Amino acid sequence: MRGAGVISAGAVRPGAEHPVASPHRLRDWLVLVVPAAAALLVDGYQLGTLSLWRDEAYSLEAAGRSIGQIFSLLHHMDAVNGTYYLFMHGVIALLGTSATALRLPSLLATAIAAMTTAALGRLLARLAGLPAPWLTGLLAGLFFVAVPQITRYAQDARAYALVTMFVTIASYCLVRAIIAGTWRWWAGYALTIAAGGLFNLFSLLVVIAHGVTVLISYVRGRRAAQPAGPGLAGSGAGPGVAPVGMWRWLAAVVAAGIVLAPLAFLGFKQRGQISWLSKPGAAAVRGLLESFAGSKLLVIPIAVLALCGLAVGATARSRLPAVAGSPAPATVILPWLVLPPVIMLAVSRVKPVYDIRYVLFCQPALALLCGVGLAWLAHVISTAPLISTARARGILAWLPSVALVVLVGVLLIAPQRAIRLPSSRPDNLRYDAAVIAAHAHPTDIVFYIPYQRVLSMGYPAPFRKLRDIALAESPVRSSTLVGTEVNLATLRHRLTHVTRVWLITSVSQHDLQAVTDPVQRAELAVINSMRLIGRWHANEDVLSLYGVR
């Protein structure tokens, strides 16, 4: 098949360089292997050192159930995380429940995402005729690995790293599908888009970005297909064939949508689960910029570098005749980077849905822009007429790029260290469990206010000797994440011979006074009649022990 924006493999003219093939086999493999290895080393360092936090405890508790119990849970709540729980059920059966085992899938997904980012950067640079495509890909992959936010979620037993991997692979498949036009690549695109949506529905925002990429490539392809003048054949594709690529993209998106429709329906019914989100303001935008750049100090340097990459990626013209209708780097990267967070922030002004974790899959796009910008900078200096000898140009060409890489690396040392500190997580559930193990008595009662039973799920053994008299049905029996609580009459009946009570919460004493649930108000009344024996703090968690006066 031939057409504007859809180039078959057979369209490569004799003597023309193939857009994907390269004679430098070893170097091309190193471009992929080095970022992946860097991800395993950088993000794998101290993988299991930090305690699990509450979201990871949810993952452990839900995934540790039987398959039937997981499906029963998803019918009532948390359906959007169901695929991850089922996946982690297999991981737990195979590797166990240690922090390292629970986080290993995220680490491996990050390594694959780094490798795919490098492959995509190299491919886009080749298609655009940019210098040193291998360098562009290598730098993009390493930039991706270096960002502390990536390390944070590579060391997290949640689905965000897996979603980033699937979106990155889908973006690579999209570019290959546009230039090859074969169903094999479109099928891979549909499969990875569906996989990303199964792990997090918000990842489907990238489909809008991809739609912009396909549309721009279609328009560029149509122009390339027009005759250059009277009697000239142009690129040989008639305008009636050009929309084929768009139709195949639509078919792939519809196929993925059909697969995801049941999950989307359940997710909409359970949308109350994100009611904790608030409307984002200027602070959320600043946090997004700083997290994507790696630190506050890097926002401006990374922005300048990304703008350079954007300018090069937008103005580049392929020197390969076979890929005249292929997407320019900017048409792939910019929509991917900008549209999902902008859409989510805009919608959140009406209905809050934004959290920075939900747009983590846009981080590879920024890494790609930085890779393009650095490679372009080296090329510009290497061709400067003021430098007389080729040797001098070759040496000096690397200096600014190396200096920028070193600067970024130095400025990221402190954030990389900070992301591995216990204070980088809202909870330290291992410390909570240690406090209970050291100070609790078998007859002690525990109150979780407000509904903070999850704080006992990361390391549950010490908490089992406490009497949870407010619990009506366990999480498993009630097919919920935290169980259900008794009514007020039952609680008062159980409040006999109470001598010591643990209050486990993650809110301030002032916020406790705002609790309105009658059962929890009764629990607080019991505590207020007792004296404080001890209090322990673990990040946002507060464990207080009370006894009779």
Side-chain angles (χ1 to χ4, degrees):
M1 180 195 67
R2 295 168 64 90
V6 185
I7 311 298
S8 69
V12 181
R13 300 193 318 203
E17 180 184 350
H18 193 277
V20 178
S22 170
H24 304 288
R25 305 296 294 179
L26 177 59
R27 188 175 67 187
D28 283 350
W29 274 109
L30 288 176
V31 169
L32 306 180
V33 171
V34 170
L40 294 175
L41 290 173
V42 173
D43 300 333
Y45 177 63
Q46 295 183 331
L47 181 64
T49 301
L50 288 182
S51 163
L52 299 177
W53 68 292
R54 68 186 68 183
D55 279 16
E56 292 181 301
Y58 279 134
S59 297
L60 174 61
E61 203 282 332
R65 304 181 187 190
S66 69
I67 297 294
Q69 290 169 342
I70 293 175
F71 275 107
S72 181
L73 167 68
L74 304 183
H75 180 71
H76 292 89
M77 63 188 307
D78 222 21
V80 293
N81 290 315
T83 304
Y84 182 70
Y85 293 153
L86 291 168
F87 169 73
M88 290 301 294
H89 178 84
V91 172
I92 288 173
L94 185 65
L95 302 178
T97 60
S98 69
T100 300
L102 293 173
R103 293 165 181 165
L104 185 60
S106 294
L107 174 64
L108 296 177
T110 299
I112 296 172
M115 181 174 63
T116 310
T117 299
L120 181 55
R122 182 184 61 192
L123 175 61
L124 290 173
R126 281 179 180 167
L127 293 175
L130 297 178
W134 67 272
L135 180 60
T136 300
L138 180 63
L139 291 172
L142 292 177
F143 258 106
F144 173 77
V145 172
V147 178
Q149 177 177 231
I150 295 301
T151 300
R152 164 69 178 83
Y153 292 105
Q155 299 187 349
D156 192 50
R158 297 296 277 181
Y160 307 111
L162 289 157
V163 172
T164 302
M165 175 190 72
F166 284 124
V167 169
T168 308
I169 296 173
S171 300
Y172 180 83
C173 288
L174 176 71
V175 176
R176 291 296 299 266
I178 290 175
I179 64 175
T182 60
W183 278 113
R184 176 169 63 105
W185 286 109
W186 286 116
Y189 173 74
L191 182 63
T192 47
I193 284 293
L198 286 171
F199 280 90
N200 193 314
L201 286 171
F202 286 126
S203 70
L204 296 180
L205 288 173
V206 81
V207 172
I208 301 175
H210 288 165
V212 172
T213 298
V214 172
L215 179 61
I216 295 174
S217 300
Y218 160 63
V219 172
R220 291 181 69 219
R222 288 277 301 228
R223 291 175 180 171
Q226 298 299 320
L232 297 180
S235 298
V241 186
V244 172
M246 292 195 67
W247 285 116
R248 292 194 175 187
W249 173 77
L250 284 172
V253 171
V254 169
I258 292 173
V259 172
L260 295 171
L263 178 61
F265 175 73
L266 277 176
F268 181 77
K269 285 182 62 178
Q270 299 174 4
R271 61 190 181 278
Q273 289 184 219
I274 58 172
S275 59
W276 59 273
L277 293 170
S278 58
K279 291 184 179 180
V285 177
R286 286 197 303 271
L288 177 66
L289 296 176
E290 291 174 8
S291 294
F292 269 55
S295 75
K296 185 176 181 179
L297 294 175
L298 279 171
V299 170
I300 293 179
I302 292 296
V304 172
L305 191 57
L307 288 174
C308 290
L310 178 62
V312 176
T315 58
R317 291 293 183 269
S318 178
R319 297 193 297 266
L320 305 180
V323 291
S326 62
T331 65
V332 177
I333 301 170
L334 187 61
W336 177 8
L337 174 63
V338 172
L339 288 181
V342 167
I343 292 171
M344 192 170 284
L345 286 167
V347 171
S348 294
R349 298 303 301 167
V350 179
K351 167 63 178 176
V353 295
Y354 170 80
D355 189 276
I356 194 169
R357 295 173 290 179
Y358 302 157
V359 294
L360 181 71
F361 61 82
C362 298
Q363 186 76 59
L366 180 60
L368 287 165
L369 279 182
C370 291
V372 171
L374 279 174
W376 169 80
L377 181 61
H379 172 70
V380 167
I381 296 175
S382 69
T383 58
L386 296 179
I387 304 176
S388 57
T389 65
R391 179 180 178 81
R393 284 197 300 268
I395 295 175
L396 293 177
W398 285 90
L399 290 181
S401 294
V402 170
L404 282 172
V405 169
V406 171
L407 174 65
V408 170
V410 169
L411 292 178
L412 287 179
I413 291 176
Q416 279 284 354
R417 286 178 177 171
I419 212 69
R420 291 172 168 83
L421 296 176
S423 58
S424 66
R425 306 295 192 271
D427 313 297
N428 189 337
L429 302 186
R430 187 182 291 148
Y431 177 81
D432 295 351
V435 169
I436 297 298
H439 300 282
H441 296 169
T443 58
D444 288 354
I445 286 173
V446 60
F447 294 149
Y448 298 98
I449 303 177
Y451 310 112
Q452 295 296 322
R453 199 166 277 108
V454 64
L455 301 182
S456 69
M457 295 177 178
Y459 305 90
F463 292 88
R464 293 193 182 111
K465 63 182 179 181
L466 301 178
R467 292 191 297 151
D468 189 356
I469 63 173
L471 181 66
E473 283 190 313
S474 69
V476 173
R477 287 182 60 86
S478 62
S479 296
T480 63
L481 286 173
V482 295
T484 58
E485 301 213 331
V486 299
N487 57 38
L488 184 58
T490 302
L491 177 71
R492 285 174 173 167
H493 177 71
R494 294 179 178 181
L495 283 172
T496 57
H497 306 294
V498 175
T499 57
R500 292 182 16 134
V501 175
W502 286 90
L503 171 62
I504 299 180
T505 185
S506 61
V507 299
S508 67
Q509 294 296 311
H510 179 269
D511 292 333
L512 285 174
Q513 303 309 312
V515 171
T516 58
D517 181 83
V519 171
Q520 297 196 339
R521 293 296 300 173
E523 292 173 336
L524 290 173
V526 171
I527 290 172
N528 290 334
S529 67
M530 308 177 84
R531 64 182 178 88
L532 179 66
I533 297 176
R535 178 167 289 156
W536 297 263
H537 294 264
N539 299 348
E540 294 181 6
D541 305 340
V542 182
L543 288 75
S544 304
L545 175 61
Y546 293 85
V548 294
R549 295 184 185 277

